[in-house]
Amino acid sequence: MSDVQNRCRLVLILPEGDDLSVRAAMLEGALKGGDVASVILPQYGLDDGLFQKHAEVLVGIVQNAGAAALVAGDTRVAGRVKADGIHVTGAVGELAEAVEKFTPQLIVGGGNATDRHKALEIGDVQPDYIFFGKIGGDIKPEAHPKNLALAEWWASMVEIPCIVLGGTDPQSALAAAETGAEFVALDKAVFADPAQAPHVIAAVNALLDEKAPRFGDK
């Protein structure tokens, strides 16, 4: 197996759904496809009780595959299900509160970095990572140009790792990697056809192995 630590790695965002068994099977199948650094598990419209029920199962699947499980939603649920981290989708103040309360016990990162000014505000609270994009924002084959531009600017000057959202085409992962981002997040590109998810992950990893820039290269 190649050394994935010195190139951009894959982050998955699990789609919404009410049927836990379907979501669990989808996730378990996808994770058999190859290297995944972490999986973001958003709450979507689930109430806290149902979200916790889902997270208890899904977090275990992620961790058994050797990836980090990041809960996006109720932070109490993240603690109860022993998630590895919290993904904050709210404002900078919410992220700052989570960083203060949960680090270093948990990974804490977040987004809403819609421009450079907001990105620097997020950087000031010292999260473990910054996310460029919006969950559910992968609506075109390619990654959003603004997110790519922000990631390239950020990666060139800030040490805090960044995750950039790709598009619906798995090949969009390469454009994200070429920004210098440490991670690319995929949702629809992987899960649009759950039966193909492991093959997509294998293909994306092969693409990144072959063409993604290596960290530390001059």
Side-chain angles (χ1 to χ4, degrees), residues 78-165:
R80 290 171 189 153
V81 302
K82 296 181 170 57
D84 299 287
I86 296 165
H87 179 83
V88 178
T89 57
V92 178
E94 187 182 334
L95 179 59
E97 191 177 312
V99 168
E100 185 177 348
K101 188 173 181 181
F102 296 107
T103 57
Q105 300 95 322
L106 297 177
I107 300 164
V108 180
N112 261 348
T114 51
D115 56 41
R116 291 187 178 190
H117 177 71
K118 286 185 179 174
L120 290 172
E121 284 186 336
I122 289 170
D124 283 342
V125 306
Q126 293 293 303
D128 292 299
Y129 66 84
I130 185 171
F131 185 92
F132 292 112
K134 183 181 179 182
I135 290 173
D138 51 337
I139 55 175
K140 293 185 177 180
E142 66 280 356
H144 197 294
K146 184 175 75 171
N147 294 332
L148 294 176
L150 282 168
E152 185 170 14
W153 161 75
W154 181 270
S156 70
M157 59 172 282
V158 184
E159 289 188 4
I160 296 170
C162 69
I163 303 174
V164 60
L165 180 67

Side-chain angles (χ1 to χ4, degrees), residues 8-128:
C8 184
R9 295 179 69 196
L10 186 55
V11 171
L12 300 183
I13 302 171
L14 189 66
E16 63 184 315
D18 296 324
D19 190 323
L20 176 54
S21 61
V22 169
R23 298 182 84 203
M26 180 194 302
L27 181 58
E28 203 161 16
L31 289 168
K32 291 176 180 173
D35 178 67
V36 171
S38 58
V39 179
I40 297 173
L41 305 169
Q43 186 163 355
Y44 297 116
L46 299 177
D47 64 52
D48 290 348
L50 194 53
F51 181 46
Q52 182 170 326
K53 184 180 175 186
H54 278 230
E56 281 171 353
V57 174
L58 300 172
V59 164
I61 291 170
V62 174
Q63 292 173 339
N64 286 340
L70 307 177
V71 164
D74 192 308
T75 55
R76 293 169 297 180
V77 169
R80 290 171 189 153
V81 302
K82 296 181 170 57
D84 299 287
I86 296 165
H87 179 83
V88 178
T89 57
V92 178
E94 187 182 334
L95 179 59
E97 191 177 312
V99 168
E100 185 177 348
K101 188 173 181 181
F102 296 107
T103 57
Q105 300 95 322
L106 297 177
I107 300 164
V108 180
N112 261 348
T114 51
D115 56 41
R116 291 187 178 190
H117 177 71
K118 286 185 179 174
L120 290 172
E121 284 186 336
I122 289 170
D124 283 342
V125 306
Q126 293 293 303
D128 292 299

